[in-house]
Amino acid sequence: MSKKTVPIVKSIVLSYFVFIFTLATSTLFAQKSPNIILILSDDAGYADFGFQGSDTFKTPNLDKLASEGITFSQSYVTAAVCGPSRAGLITGKYQQRFGYEENNVPGYMSKSCLSDNEMGLPLGQNTMGDYMKSLGYSTAYFGKWHLGNADKFHPTKRGFDIFYGFRGGARSYFEFNEENVNTRPEDFLEEGFANFKESELYLTDALANKTVSFLEEIGEKPFFIVLAFNAVHTPMEAEEKDLKEFPNLLGKRKKLAAMTLSMDRACGKVLNKLEALGLKNNTMVVYTNDNGGPSDTNASINKPLSGTKANHLEGGIRVPMIMRWPNGNIPSNTTFKYPVSTLDLLPTFLHIAGGKTMDKFDGVNLTPYLLNNTKNIPHNTLYWKKENRGAIRDGDWKLIRFPDRPAELYHIINDISEQNNLAPQHPEKVKKLYKKLFEWELTLTRPLWQLQRKYEGKAMNRMDEYRQ
């Protein structure tokens, strides 16, 4: 080899090693950008899952997810009804901070309020989609939106690249056609923006299939997916094949079990596709529910919790939650016993994706607590408010303020079913918590809308009927 060729060879070898190092570094960097899937069910009962203790309902896929991750025994939502709960979840803030009172919109509001087209998640609020998209993630939303029907509130204008679902709060699980007629635009399925397209499939399956197709086509780019099932919200519509799985159940309870089985199977499709594509280890998956089960309308069971959807007893605001992230070293088959909130999901997602906050969140990044990197707990105090109703959880004490009776006080750790009202024995504690709740309310924006008063009466009747 001549002296002239030596430098050339060295240059080639050096370039080769630079290329290998760059490739390895790029691969390592890609591996450090975890994918995230948030699965949200609708109106499910606290006790209606195998991993929550049910020996009647069949949820093998979510049970497996729970065994591979952490379950949260004290997971709370920010509202006891669908829309405002989602507003808090998707922004990481108490929704009352931006005037999104704990009421579903539109359709139930006082005539003195905004028009239907003005009701929705205020445009100045950043969403999970906005944050993740700014970090280079491909973002997709599949399912129920319920954060405003007008075009300006559309998911593709709120940080999501892809939307397949419907804008409203509930709809049929079957295709709209000549026999199954619908006239409300917000209930039609959309693919993209304002492109109505119905599916012949049972809706739970259609949403899962769209999610699977997205996973197959996404390529190397990190992704953030919200899969927001309308299951198991009314109407009570199940497929015959799933009804046959529960011969010993009757009526709504039978239909609910079948709808839950269908939803679990849909979750399994998505989770199995992650594994088949080699994405399981580098994907955080969270499953949770939007509020407590409405036992009167869908026969859900919230035991051992008292109450239901639409009230501030534990059965209205405490929900199942699972988190799995193998690459993040989150332990498997464990239970986190301290209070957390769905407010915490956005700060957690943002942290693991390597982003910085643009807003002041009410939620916290959960990873230090889950990895035992701190001896603190995520929340000492949590709040709820629906007009003149409200609740505060402060340590292990919980105060509930009602419109039609004196406030009640419970020691939640010793009385999860809220059976022993301690307000008469602890008047100073009642006074302290009542004041602390009010001081929090002073930091909030005035509501952008208010509920027709008749619905408040219905909510209180439901609460009384479904106390333990």
Side-chain angles (χ1 to χ4, degrees):
M1 183 180 297
S2 68
K3 292 183 179 180
K4 290 183 179 181
T5 60
V6 171
I8 297 175
V9 172
K10 287 183 177 179
S11 178
I12 292 173
V13 171
L14 180 61
S15 297
Y16 173 76
F17 280 111
V18 168
F19 170 76
I20 294 298
F21 176 78
T22 302
L23 182 63
T25 303
S26 299
T27 302
L28 183 62
F29 179 80
Q31 290 174 342
K32 289 183 178 179
S33 299
N35 309 304
I36 301 168
I37 299 180
L38 170 60
I39 302 174
L40 187 66
S41 60
D42 193 353
D43 279 10
Y46 187 77
D48 288 336
F49 300 88
F51 70 91
Q52 290 288 96
S54 177
D55 56 5
T56 304
F57 280 33
K58 301 176 182 179
T59 55
N61 293 291
L62 289 174
D63 296 347
K64 180 183 178 185
L65 184 69
S67 72
E68 295 175 339
I70 288 181
T71 56
F72 296 81
S73 62
Q74 298 191 69
S75 173
Y76 289 96
V77 290
T78 61
V81 291
C82 307
S85 169
R86 292 158 195 269
L89 164 75
I90 207 166
T91 62
K93 303 177 188 177
Y94 286 111
Q95 63 277 359
Q96 296 93 342
R97 291 203 184 282
F98 42 86
Y100 203 120
E101 191 71 1
E102 193 176 323
N103 297 309
N104 285 326
V105 296
Y108 302 91
M109 299 299 109
S110 167
K111 291 182 181 179
S112 62
C113 292
L114 301 172
S115 68
D116 285 0
N117 281 340
E118 295 300 317
M119 293 182 187
L121 183 69
L123 301 183
Q125 298 302 316
N126 294 308
T127 71
M128 288 179 171
D130 291 322
Y131 273 107
M132 302 311 292
K133 191 172 183 177
S134 73
L135 294 173
Y137 277 66
S138 181
T139 58
Y141 195 106
F142 302 105
K144 169 178 169 175
W145 178 240
H146 209 195
L147 290 171
N149 295 341
D151 287 353
K152 62 184 178 181
F153 299 121
H154 195 273
T156 58
K157 293 190 175 184
R158 308 310 300 269
F160 293 96
D161 300 316
I162 294 173
F163 174 63
Y164 179 84
F166 62 101
R167 303 189 198 187
R171 58 150 284 157
S172 175
Y173 290 79
F174 296 107
E175 177 190 10
F176 289 135
N177 52 35
E178 293 180 357
E179 296 179 358
N180 188 20
V181 179
N182 181 68
T183 58
R184 299 198 314 170
E186 65 267 26
D187 294 343
F188 282 94
L189 288 182
E190 297 182 44
E191 190 166 19
F193 184 85
N195 178 22
F196 297 122
K197 182 179 180 181
E198 282 298 308
S199 170
E200 296 178 0
L201 293 173
Y202 186 70
L203 182 54
T204 304
D205 291 329
L207 297 176
N209 290 348
K210 284 292 182 180
T211 305
V212 166
S213 295
F214 176 84
L215 292 174
E216 292 173 336
E217 298 167 3
I218 188 60
E220 297 297 322
K221 193 174 182 181
F223 57 80
F224 172 69
I225 297 172
V226 178
L227 174 53
F229 291 111
N230 56 317
V232 291
H233 196 290
T234 54
M236 303 302 291
E237 296 175 346
E239 293 188 291
E240 189 62 33
K241 65 181 180 181
D242 293 322
L243 290 169
K244 290 179 179 178
E245 293 292 322
F246 302 93
N248 297 323
L249 297 179
L250 299 171
K252 289 182 180 179
R253 191 71 181 152
K254 184 184 187 80
K255 289 182 179 179
L256 182 67
M259 294 165 73
T260 303
L261 176 60
S262 173
M263 183 191 69
D264 180 82
R265 186 172 59 245
C267 291
K269 287 182 183 179
V270 175
L271 297 173
N272 291 338
K273 179 56 65 172
L274 280 179
E275 192 157 9
L277 294 173
L279 299 171
K280 176 179 177 180
N281 285 342
N282 198 39
T283 302
M284 174 181 277
V285 177
V286 176
Y287 164 78
T288 191
N289 189 57
D290 63 347
N291 47 249
S295 303
D296 51 347
T297 61
N298 74 357
S300 52
I301 292 177
N302 297 313
K303 291 182 179 179
L305 310 179
S306 277
T308 68
K309 176 181 180 177
N311 63 69
H312 293 142
L313 292 170
E314 292 290 283
I317 56 176
R318 191 189 288 208
V319 295
M321 189 160 84
I322 304 167
M323 181 181 289
R324 184 189 74 184
W325 185 29
N327 266 11
N329 298 315
I330 288 179
S332 62
N333 200 29
T334 57
T335 299
F336 189 77
K337 62 181 181 179
Y338 300 108
V340 300
S341 170
T342 49
L343 291 169
D344 302 329
L345 293 180
L346 175 51
T348 302
F349 297 161
L350 190 59
H351 173 78
I352 69 170
K356 296 181 180 180
T357 63
M358 296 180 286
D359 297 301
K360 182 178 179 181
F361 295 133
D362 290 306
V364 301
N365 166 31
L366 290 177
T367 55
Y369 307 97
L370 304 182
L371 300 176
N372 293 319
N373 292 335
T374 177
K375 293 183 179 180
N376 297 322
I377 63 174
H379 296 278
N380 290 310
T381 310
L382 292 169
Y383 302 93
W384 295 267
K385 177 184 178 294
K386 184 170 187 174
E387 298 183 9
N388 58 348
R389 274 195 277 153
I392 177 173
R393 164 120 188 217
D394 192 60
D396 293 334
W397 291 93
K398 180 181 174 186
L399 177 85
I400 309 177
R401 186 184 67 202
F402 301 102
D404 64 342
R405 67 198 74 181
E408 296 176 2
L409 179 70
Y410 297 97
H411 195 261
I412 291 298
I413 296 301
N414 297 328
D415 185 16
I416 189 174
S417 301
E418 294 169 294
Q419 296 297 295
N420 186 19
N421 177 19
L422 299 175
Q425 294 97 309
H426 298 277
E428 289 303 313
K429 177 65 74 172
V430 171
K431 181 179 179 180
K432 178 181 178 181
L433 294 184
Y434 208 106
K435 185 176 181 180
K436 190 169 185 177
L437 174 60
F438 180 67
E439 288 173 346
W440 171 73
E441 289 176 305
L442 293 177
T443 70
L444 305 178
T445 299
R446 291 189 66 83
L448 295 173
W449 46 72
Q450 287 189 303
L451 195 69
Q452 293 179 38
R453 296 306 297 167
K454 65 179 181 180
Y455 293 111
E456 278 292 86
K458 290 181 178 180
M460 299 307 294
N461 290 338
R462 173 189 270 172
M463 182 191 75
D464 288 339
E465 184 176 355
Y466 288 95
R467 284 209 177 202
Q468 288 290 346

